[in-house]
Amino acid sequence: MFPNMLPFAVGQFNPLVMQPQAMTQQATRHARRVYVGGLPPSANEQSVAIYFNQVMAAIGGNTAGPGDAVLNVYINHDKKFAFVEMRSVEEASNAMALDGILFEGAPVKVRRPTDYNPSLAAALGPSQPSSNLNLAAVGLTPGSAGGLEGPDRIFVGGLPYYFTEAQVRELLESFGPLRGFDLVKDRETGNSKGYAFCVYQDLNVTDIACAALNGIKMGDKTLTVRRANQGSAQPRPEQENILLQAQQQVQLQKLVYQVGALPTKVVCLTQVVTADELKDDEEYEDIMEDMRLEAGKYGNLVKVVIPRPHPSGEPVSGVGKVFLEYADVDGSTKAKTAMHGRKFGGNPVVAVFYPENKFADEDYDAAA
């Protein structure tokens, strides 16, 4: 067909072959790159490329054939992040399972770049990491933060700060098992930032969970639950019955998740003391000592707080309540179980868990 055309030597530009390939690479680059954040100052392009080539091979993430998965690395040294370009869309998705891996002793974040387009990427290859990856080979636990990309990722905001990972998971899993889950925490303190991301194994429940959970009250907070990458979508008509059942289930869950029901390290006792008993200094010290002795039976007691009336008559928050702070939830749970319902001065004691952040702020009037 082209009798005068000679074969191109290796490295020579071939407009019939290279141009479409270059166009394809450009069109797929957003889905082949991953963002790597939190790099140590010693990181450079070569060390990042070598490391990700090694860990991708170790977990079985190289699906495009023999050779290295990494094509290119760009590092921003000032902001300590890199863009790592993989040779295939599938390998980039597998790399997403490496979130939290240790690089030169520091845990790094592995995310999609801001130009990632989930809708376009879905047509280019798998958007989730393979379920067959051997993450244990590089010290990672499957199903922690992996699988948290794509159009069905859910944002869960407005979580009370004292919610533990287990409690958030339990609430979300009332709609079905999760493929991925990440409660976002402050890197320095380890405390929850009050929001999380998740993806369900059954993607059909995504909109159902969003519709049922969005707007419900959890303690003193209101949840915001929606798709992370898109506007909220309405459940399809065939999902209405499932949604109704889910909303009924959430109403029951809310009873469990009200302030006072969630295990915390602080127990609040009511119907134990009266304001008059706390006015006399000697009687107040006797009550404090009795409380320390009794509460100390159930665990490592850190602190006892019994708010007293102000001599001037000014209102003081928490008067009539006793607060017991323990070193761990195990101690507070034993104390709550043992003390709740016991008679004190002829009255049954009411013992409930109290929000740790409210207690730390000396806010003794939260609902309990």
Side-chain angles (χ1 to χ4, degrees), residues 39-70:
L39 290 170
S42 58
N44 57 49
E45 283 83 355
Q46 185 178 12
S47 65
V48 171
I50 291 173
Y51 181 76
F52 273 86
N53 280 329
Q54 290 175 344
V55 295
M56 284 290 288
I59 66 173
N62 292 356
T63 54
D68 293 335
V70 178

Side-chain angles (χ1 to χ4, degrees), residues 21-54:
Q21 182 179 350
M23 290 173 63
T24 301
Q25 285 189 339
Q26 182 64 35
T28 61
R29 181 168 286 122
H30 73 98
R32 289 187 295 103
R33 292 195 312 162
V34 296
Y35 164 91
V36 181
L39 290 170
S42 58
N44 57 49
E45 283 83 355
Q46 185 178 12
S47 65
V48 171
I50 291 173
Y51 181 76
F52 273 86
N53 280 329
Q54 290 175 344

Side-chain angles (χ1 to χ4, degrees), residues 10 30 58 63 87 146 213 231 301 306 327:
V10 175
H30 73 98
T63 54
R87 60 184 173 175
L213 291 171
L301 185 66
I306 306 178

Side-chain angles (χ1 to χ4, degrees), residues 148-221:
L148 278 176
E149 294 301 323
D152 294 288
R153 183 174 69 144
I154 295 175
F155 168 80
V156 184
L159 292 167
Y161 296 113
Y162 51 84
F163 266 39
T164 65
E165 286 193 27
Q167 289 159 352
V168 179
R169 284 191 75 112
E170 183 181 352
L171 177 65
L172 296 171
E173 287 178 341
S174 58
F175 298 93
L178 299 174
R179 175 191 295 166
F181 170 75
D182 181 25
L183 177 62
V184 180
K185 299 178 180 179
D186 184 276
R187 189 166 182 171
E188 294 182 1
T189 66
N191 295 330
S192 166
K193 287 190 171 184
Y195 65 95
F197 295 94
C198 74
V199 174
Y200 284 95
Q201 288 185 16
D202 181 1
L203 301 181
N204 289 322
V205 306
T206 301
D207 293 327
I208 296 172
C210 290
L213 291 171
N214 187 54
I216 72 169
K217 294 215 175 273
M218 287 290 172
D220 56 350
K221 298 273 190 175

Side-chain angles (χ1 to χ4, degrees), residues 92-142:
S93 293
N94 286 340
M96 296 306 299
L98 297 172
D99 184 37
I101 196 168
L102 293 177
F103 177 83
E104 297 182 2
V108 295
K109 295 180 180 179
V110 181
R111 302 282 192 270
R112 297 288 190 183
T114 54
D115 65 346
Y116 178 71
N117 187 317
S119 301
L120 293 178
L124 300 174
S127 57
Q128 301 292 338
S130 168
S131 58
N132 297 320
L133 297 178
N134 181 17
L135 296 179
V138 293
L140 292 175
T141 303

Side-chain angles (χ1 to χ4, degrees), residues 264-269 287-306 322-336 339 359:
T264 68
K265 297 176 186 176
V266 181
V267 177
C268 173
L269 307 178
I287 293 172
M288 284 288 288
E289 185 60 26
D290 289 345
M291 279 297 164
R292 287 193 192 100
L293 290 173
E294 178 62 24
K297 297 176 183 178
Y298 308 109
N300 185 358
L301 185 66
V302 176
K303 190 176 183 182
V304 177
V305 174
I306 306 178
V322 175
F323 298 90
L324 310 173
E325 182 184 18
Y326 288 84
D328 51 47
V329 172
D330 183 59
S332 63
T333 301
K334 289 178 180 176
K336 176 180 176 294
M339 293 182 156
F359 180 76

Side-chain angles (χ1 to χ4, degrees), residues 162 218-221 257-262 268 270 321 323 352-358 363-368:
Y162 51 84
M218 287 290 172
D220 56 350
K221 298 273 190 175
Y257 282 85
Q258 293 301 315
V259 174
L262 288 169
C268 173
T270 54
K321 298 178 182 178
F323 298 90
V352 298
F353 292 115
Y354 198 80
E356 292 170 19
N357 61 323
K358 298 286 187 184
D363 178 359
Y364 303 130
D365 280 335

